[in-house]
Amino acid sequence: HQEKTRSSYSTEAELFFTGVENKTQLKKRYKELIKIFHPDNSAGDTETLQMINRAYEELKKQFGL
């Protein structure tokens, strides 16, 4: 089951954070995504925001944040 979880994280990370190569880009992309997908916005979606947050947390570990 853990393998499946890791796989979904990498898929989410690829989906939302494609092209991110360093800590600065990661933080910038995260802020941009939060502005777009926050549930308070018209295009917002709680489930998508949760996916973004999971991917961000995983990538933060990879970048040493």
Side-chain angles (χ1 to χ4, degrees):
H1 185 266
Q2 257 186 330
E3 288 299 319
K4 191 173 187 179
T5 303
R6 283 192 197 123
S7 176
S8 68
Y9 285 150
S10 62
T11 303
E12 290 169 0
E14 289 170 13
L15 179 64
F16 295 111
F17 296 97
T18 300
V20 170
E21 298 176 3
N22 59 48
K23 296 174 190 180
T24 304
Q25 290 177 348
L26 178 64
K27 289 178 183 179
K28 183 179 179 192
R29 177 73 53 84
Y30 179 71
K31 288 178 183 179
E32 292 168 351
L33 290 167
I34 294 303
K35 286 180 185 177
I36 296 167
F37 291 104
H38 194 278
D40 290 345
N41 295 332
S42 60
D45 178 51
T46 302
E47 187 176 324
T48 303
L49 187 64
Q50 290 172 343
M51 288 171 48
I52 291 166
N53 284 329
R54 284 192 301 268
Y56 180 64
E57 290 302 317
E58 192 64 27
L59 287 168
K60 277 178 26 180
K61 294 175 191 173
Q62 291 178 21
F63 285 112
L65 291 173

